Amino acid sequence: MNAPPPAAPDAAAPVILVGPHCRAVDFLSDVHLRPDAPLTFEAWRAHMLSTPADAVFMLGDLFELWIGDDAGAGRFESACLEVLRESARTRRLAFMAGNRDFLLGAQAHREVPMEQLPDPVVLEGFGARLLLAHGDAWCLEDAAYQAFRREVRGPAWQQDFLSRPLSERAAVAAGIRQASQARKRSLPDPALWADVDHGAVEVALRQAGARTLVHGHTHRPARHDLGTGLERWVLSDWDFEGQVPRGDVLRWSAAGLARHPVVSP
Ligand code: LP5
Ligand code: MN
């Protein structure tokens, strides 16, 4: 079974606990692991195996594309799952699906002991509550994407898609990637791309009894003050292939939230 469809933005998010012995939690998202990005894989691997955090919460788009667990038999996907397995031996791992890897399913979860997080979810600890989400569900202005999302997150559609041969799934996914990239090119200024809707975020934060939202997806790392004591932290995407490596984690501890750049090994 794949991750359950995300709750509607106005539904109350379930609450999970950091746990009594946890001193620090890392949040990361949008690593976009793919075979032709070996330096990003190495940076992620090094972080997963050496972070001092007791828990790593991955908030979506860990993988560039996941078209079914049977594709995970490939060498690259297997290597990624092996890193997760090794990391999980000494720390808690939690995985939230993003718009690229929502088809990561039961077989992959059997191979790696990591919690499957609903989107959104509330994490309680250190005397506070954080609302965690991938972020795409609140990009409400992007009506075409929201319609697409509703469709592909439904169980009927997923069953049908996953029953198709791997090669056909790869071709369909490539077609959608092309459409998605063409759409972004038609809006050349990234400032025109949809961002999360602050009104919806405020409602969700109040319902969750939380002041802080942590999310990814938009690749626009920042801390936004939403007023009235509410805030939104946006995680960075990762890319260690170019001249200027990019990638960080947000670490949560009794001292609060702090951004830590990830360094290439
Ligand atoms: O991913 P990114 O950052 O480029 O853009 C996202 C939204 N796009 C997506 C699509 C993903 O990039 C690729 C899908 C991976 C799915 C893996 C599983 C296989 C599913 C197969 C489904 C049939 O999520 C983009 C947002 C952007 O974020 C910002 O929030 O705008 O949304 C879109 O571009 C979606 C379009 O608006 C609608 C897409 C319709 C595509 C229909 C083409 C069908 C082609 C069939 C080819 C055989
Ligand atoms: Mn995303």
Side-chain angles (χ1 to χ4, degrees):
M1 210 182 77
N2 294 303
D10 57 354
V15 180
I16 57 172
L17 304 178
V18 151
H21 305 295
C22 181
R23 287 152 303 164
V25 181
D26 279 353
F27 300 109
L28 58 86
S29 73
D30 302 282
V31 184
H32 290 270
L33 292 169
R34 54 180 214 273
D36 60 349
L39 301 177
T40 304
F41 171 81
E42 284 306 331
W44 171 74
R45 179 178 183 278
H47 184 81
M48 293 302 289
L49 301 182
S50 67
T51 176
D54 304 297
V56 181
F57 277 55
M58 295 165 279
L59 302 184
D61 291 359
L62 176 62
F63 296 98
E64 169 81 352
L65 202 57
W66 194 274
I67 56 170
D69 291 350
D70 48 342
R75 268 183 61 205
F76 178 73
E77 288 81 2
S78 297
C80 295
L81 295 182
E82 179 53 36
V83 171
L84 290 168
R85 254 194 312 275
E86 201 177 331
S87 178
R89 282 192 200 116
T90 48
R91 54 185 71 75
R92 174 183 181 185
L93 296 189
F95 176 92
M96 182 183 284
N99 56 302
R100 304 293 193 91
D101 52 12
F102 61 89
L103 289 176
L104 193 111
Q107 190 184 319
H109 277 279
R110 265 195 301 278
E111 285 179 41
V112 182
M114 59 183 181
E115 292 165 46
Q116 222 169 331
L117 297 173
D119 179 357
V121 67
V122 177
L123 181 61
E124 191 173 291
F126 310 119
R129 280 182 159 201
L130 301 183
L131 183 63
L132 310 176
H134 181 54
D136 57 326
W138 284 315
C139 292
L140 300 180
E141 226 179 72
D142 196 345
Y145 172 66
Q146 295 303 331
F148 168 76
R149 186 178 192 275
R150 271 191 299 277
E151 182 132 18
V152 299
R153 296 296 183 99
W157 182 89
Q158 291 191 7
Q159 225 165 28
D160 175 64
F161 183 73
L162 291 171
S163 71
R164 290 164 193 265
L166 198 50
S167 56
E168 190 183 333
R169 277 178 272 153
V172 171
I176 295 169
R177 283 294 305 129
Q178 263 173 23
S180 189
Q181 279 164 333
R183 200 175 132 77
K184 279 189 168 168
R185 274 196 301 274
S186 73
L187 300 170
D189 182 354
L192 296 171
W193 298 350
D195 206 341
V196 305
D197 185 277
H198 279 183
V201 166
E202 271 188 49
V203 170
L205 281 170
R206 292 192 196 291
Q207 281 182 341
R211 292 184 177 282
T212 304
L213 168 68
V214 175
H215 73 86
H217 181 67
T218 61
H219 300 199
R220 286 180 246 191
R223 178 193 167 274
H224 298 274
D225 190 334
L226 307 181
T228 62
L230 305 182
E231 59 175 357
R232 166 167 88 89
W233 286 80
V234 190
L235 297 164
S236 168
D237 58 315
W238 292 36
D239 184 355
F240 287 79
E241 309 308 311
Q243 296 272 331
V244 187
R246 188 170 70 245
D248 64 29
V249 299
L250 196 59
R251 186 160 296 154
W252 194 31
S253 67
L257 283 167
R259 209 179 277 276
H260 291 258
V262 168
V263 283
S264 329

